[in-house]
Amino acid sequence: MNSQIDMKFESLHKKSPFTVPDGYFENFPDKVMMQINNLPEQHEPTTPRLIFKRQFSIAAAFIGFFLISYTFFTLISRHQDSRKMAENTTYEEAVLQYVNEKDLMETMIAEEQPMNPEQVEDYLINENIHESVVSDYFNQ
Amino acid sequence: MKQFRSDNEIIEDIKRAENSHLAFRELIEKYQQPLYWHIRKIVIDHDDTDDILQNTFIKVWKSIGEFKQQSKLYTWLYRVATNESLTFLRNKNRRTFFNIDSLSAEWDARLESDPYFNGDEAELVLQKAILTLPEKQRIVFNMRYYDEISYKDMSEILETSEGALKASYHHAVQKIEKLLKQSLNLSSNE
C-alpha cells in the first residue's frame, strides 16, 4: 500500500467514525425482551389423536393406491383375454358360448315349424315317434 | 466491564425453559455491540441499524432451539445479522429502481448528514470509498479491516470459501487505495 495512504490508515487507527445516541446500549436489551414477551406462543401439535390421524391418512393413501393399481391391472388383463379369445374363436363358437344349444334348437324349430299341440301329436303319430323319445329329448 | 459466561453455558440456560429469558438477555448484552457495529457499517444509518439488530435477536430467539453447537455461536449470530442487513439493502435497492448512480449519491448524502457520524474529513473520504464497493465485498472489507475476523470464521459467516474472501479483500483494498489516491491528488491540487 502507498505510504501516504498507509499514514492515513494509521491515523484512522481503525476507529469507527460512527456513534450511537446516549444510553442506547443500556436500553436496547429491554426493547428486545419486551418484543419477545409479546410474541405469541408457538403451539406444536403432537397429540396422539393427530399422530393417529396422520398414520391413518398414510395407510389410506397406500390402500387407495393398491386398489387403483389392482383394478387397472385386472381391466388390462381381461381386455387381453378378450382379444385372445376373439382371435382364436369362430363366430359360431362365440355365439354358442352365450347360448344353450338346446334353447337354440328349440328356437330354430319353433321359427321354422310353428305348430299347435294337435299338429305335433298328429306328426308324432304319423311318423311313428314314441312320446318318450320326445320327452327324453326335452329332458336332456 | 461486565464479565459474561461462555456461549455454551448461556445456550444451555436458554434451552432450559425456567431460565430462558434471563439467559437470552445475557446473550443480547454480550453481543449487542459487536453485532450493532457490524450492521451499522453495512447500512450506515443508526435507525435502520436499530431495526435490523432487533430483528436479528428476535430471529435468534425463535430459532435458538435449532442451533447445533457444532459451529460457534458468534459466527451464527453474525450470519443472521449479515443476512438481515443484506435483505434490508435489497429491499431498499428495489425501491430506488436499481439506479446505481442515485444509490451512490444517496449513500454519500446519508454519510454527510448523519448526526451519528463523528469522523473527520479523512474518515469521511474513507467511508465514501468503502461505500463504492459491492455489498458483499464491503462486508468482507469491514469484517477484515475493522473487526479483524479470521478468514476461517468469515467463511462460516458468509458461506464463502476462504480463497474467494482473500481475493475479495485484496481487490477491495486496491479499489479503496485508488480512490484515496484520487482524493489526495484532488486535495493537493486545491
Side-chain angles (χ1 to χ4, degrees), chain A residues 1 5 8-9 12 14-15 17-21 24-25 28-33 35-37 39, chain B residues 21 24-25 28 32 36-37 40 46 50 53-54 57 61 116-119 123 126 145 148 177 180:
Chain A
M1 282 173 85
I5 297 165
K8 285 282 184 189
F9 270 50
L12 294 170
K14 295 189 181 179
K15 178 176 71 80
F18 300 109
T19 61
V20 292
Y24 174 74
F25 289 120
F28 182 79
D30 290 331
K31 235 188 326 189
V32 177
M33 291 315 295
Q35 288 197 55
I36 285 173
N37 291 336
L39 283 173
Chain B
H21 283 229
F24 194 74
R25 193 194 167 88
I28 296 171
Q32 60 176 339
Y36 174 91
W37 295 118
R40 181 77 186 267
H46 163 73
D50 181 41
L53 188 61
Q54 289 183 58
F57 279 114
W61 168 258
Y116 301 111
F117 183 84
N118 207 21
E123 281 158 352
L126 176 60
Y145 180 72
E148 295 178 335
E177 273 182 9
L180 289 182

Side-chain angles (χ1 to χ4, degrees), chain B residues 22-163:
Chain B
L22 213 59
F24 194 74
R25 193 194 167 88
E26 189 179 349
L27 184 83
I28 296 171
E29 288 171 359
K30 186 174 180 180
Y31 283 103
Q32 60 176 339
Q33 291 204 42
L35 290 179
Y36 174 91
W37 295 118
H38 172 64
I39 296 166
R40 181 77 186 267
K41 287 196 271 296
I42 300 171
V43 304
I44 306 298
D45 181 73
H46 163 73
D47 291 326
D48 292 338
T49 306
D50 181 41
D51 289 340
I52 295 167
L53 188 61
Q54 289 183 58
N55 290 342
T56 299
F57 279 114
I58 302 287
K59 220 166 214 178
V60 167
W61 168 258
K62 286 180 179 176
S63 51
I64 197 102
E66 294 158 23
F67 172 68
K68 293 174 180 62
Q69 284 158 265
Q70 291 155 5
S71 61
K72 292 181 208 172
L73 174 65
Y74 103 93
T75 57
W76 181 54
L77 292 174
Y78 262 77
R79 194 174 334 129
V80 176
T82 305
N83 289 339
E84 286 292 304
S85 305
L86 288 174
T87 304
F88 170 83
L89 286 180
R90 272 169 209 145
N91 290 339
K92 189 183 169 68
N93 290 350
R94 267 200 285 272
R95 286 196 291 274
T96 56
F97 300 102
F98 305 104
N99 188 333
I100 293 171
D101 289 337
S102 70
L103 262 179
S104 177
E106 196 189 323
W107 281 126
D108 285 357
R110 275 189 156 212
L111 261 181
E112 286 166 5
S113 63
D114 190 354
Y116 301 111
F117 183 84
N118 207 21
D120 58 19
E121 187 63 33
E123 281 158 352
L124 183 63
V125 168
L126 176 60
Q127 289 304 320
K128 282 184 178 181
I130 295 170
L131 282 171
T132 64
L133 301 173
E135 283 161 6
K136 218 167 176 188
Q137 192 173 49
R138 182 150 57 89
I139 292 169
V140 172
F141 178 82
N142 284 329
M143 287 172 84
R144 185 71 189 147
Y145 180 72
Y146 286 106
D147 303 336
E148 295 178 335
I149 292 175
S150 69
Y151 285 113
K152 184 173 180 291
D153 287 346
M154 227 191 296
S155 172
E156 270 185 50
I157 294 166
L158 299 177
E159 294 174 306
T160 307
S161 71
E162 288 184 43

